[in-house]
Amino acid sequence: MHFIYCPYCGSKAIQKEIGDEGKIPYCTQCKIPLWDMFITSIICAVVNEQKEIALLRQNYVSQTHFVCLAGVIKMGETAEETVRREVKEEIGLDVEWLEYIETYPYPKKEMLMLGYKVYVKKDNFTLSKEVDSVEWVPLENALEKLREGSIAWKLVKQCRYPIIASNYHNNFYKDIALIRTRPGMFIGNNKISTLRTFLDGYHYAQQYFHERPISLEPLPFFLFHEFVANYYHESACMGWNRIILQQTNNNEEEGLKLFFELFDIFRSIKIVNCQVAELTLQNIVYHNTVNTVYKQCIRGVEYKYNAEGIDSDKDIKVPIYIHSQKVYCVKLTDNYGYLLLIEYPDALCFTHECNFIMSEENIKKYMEYNFGQMQWDMADKTVFSKKPIYQDRIILDEEGHYKYN
């Protein structure tokens, strides 16, 4: 809204130079600048655990395209409260978790729209009078149903799940096969130490490209280190190349041969079955309130100061598995151990707070330490194909916002 008259006294505004802002409508009676005003609203990409998005038909908005759920922020509401209210009012679902994506100006409606990715459990819709119909649409097909360039289209494009697992693993295993046939050509010599340097580059590339999902079959290579340590009953503090060199009396070429033998075993490991513990409200309260539960320091804001400016020695910490929903104990073939995976609304993730490969007993003890008593049941391993899987989840602030690596 652009002011011509003062909304307080009715006087006609003049144009006045104000700082770096240029000429702004100004009331000479009230002696105040009359800044342009706009409506603040939210727009949501509502997704479920099956990688589907709820797209709405609202004929008063568009008769040719689907749209995303949206609504105006009421006086006294936060944007997050508006998201929860609108999702419940318009499609009858409860928000499990939400994530801010970006702000979108909408000049045609004199509006600023705050974009969110919203996670819900798939259920039947209960529609408001404003909504003509809603459909669950596979996220990879959603853009074609939205008007290209619209705010809904931009939001969905930005917050889609990683639909196809990264080519990182396929390229990695192809390159390992090439190195095996002609190591001198591809890494310069036949030394295991050179191979280690080469593979460290792959690891760096994986960390550099943010939010790169992984697969469990074959196992991701970052587990190879613990596999080798467990295979030879050595300390996990040693690098896998050092453990292998110990077995070959520091013979680099024999070490390279042994690497490929171990790598073949590692690649053959499959998931046998898995157990799941669904986190109850009691588990979540335990995790969020008990002082002994593991915490994560927020990077970059580890220190607080009191009024005198003296370090109060109070790190900003968050319960390490905040917003988790379920935990999985995953059994590997040939007694190679078990994996621990944590399920969140949008993904599954490993944890760096304990070994990646452990015994079933140690996983359950570790989880009970963090969540109290838990009920474990058998689960279908196909669950691991329904959400992206990441190596690490980093908490960014006290509210539990995060990023994946």
Side-chain angles (χ1 to χ4, degrees), residues 271-381:
I271 297 173
V272 176
N273 58 46
C274 67
Q275 300 173 58
V276 62
E278 190 154 359
L279 300 177
T280 65
L281 178 60
Q282 184 178 355
N283 293 137
I284 294 168
V285 170
Y286 182 97
H287 183 67
N288 291 346
T289 59
V290 174
N291 290 332
T292 56
V293 167
Y294 290 122
K295 306 293 192 302
Q296 177 175 308
C297 284
I298 307 304
R299 296 185 180 182
V301 289
E302 284 88 351
Y303 304 104
K304 279 187 173 181
Y305 297 88
N306 60 25
E308 289 75 33
I310 302 170
D311 186 358
S312 61
D313 196 29
K314 288 185 178 180
D315 293 349
I316 298 181
K317 297 180 180 180
V318 174
I320 198 155
Y321 301 121
I322 189 171
H323 305 308
S324 54
Q325 296 178 325
K326 300 177 183 177
V327 295
Y328 293 89
C329 180
V330 183
K331 183 179 181 180
L332 303 176
T333 52
D334 299 323
N335 296 316
Y336 284 120
Y338 293 75
L339 304 177
L340 170 62
L341 284 170
I342 314 296
E343 182 174 352
Y344 299 95
D346 58 335
L348 291 133
C349 197
F350 286 87
T351 174
H352 280 279
E353 301 309 308
C354 57
N355 291 339
F356 292 119
I357 303 174
M358 297 190 287
S359 68
E360 178 183 5
E361 179 183 7
N362 285 344
I363 284 178
K364 291 183 176 179
K365 283 183 177 178
Y366 174 77
M367 285 290 96
E368 288 186 4
Y369 179 86
N370 279 282
F371 290 100
Q373 292 297 313
M374 306 173 73
Q375 175 65 45
W376 293 88
D377 300 298
M378 296 305 296
D380 188 342
K381 66 179 183 179

Side-chain angles (χ1 to χ4, degrees), residues 221-239:
F221 189 73
F222 70 83
L223 297 175
F224 184 72
H225 165 66
E226 284 192 18
F227 161 75
V228 173
N230 293 345
Y231 192 87
Y232 289 110
H233 306 288
E234 293 286 357
S235 168
C237 296
M238 296 176 63

Side-chain angles (χ1 to χ4, degrees), residues 2 5 18 24 29 35 56 76 86 93 100 105 137 140 177 184 192 196 203 215 227 248 263 266 281 286 295 376:
H2 185 76
Y5 295 93
I18 299 180
I24 300 295
Q29 299 296 319
W35 305 101
L56 285 63
E86 289 286 351
L93 299 180
Y100 172 74
V137 177
E140 64 266 32
I192 189 174
R196 174 60 191 260
H203 177 74
S215 64
F227 161 75
T248 61
F263 187 70
F266 178 75
L281 178 60
Y286 182 97
K295 306 293 192 302
W376 293 88

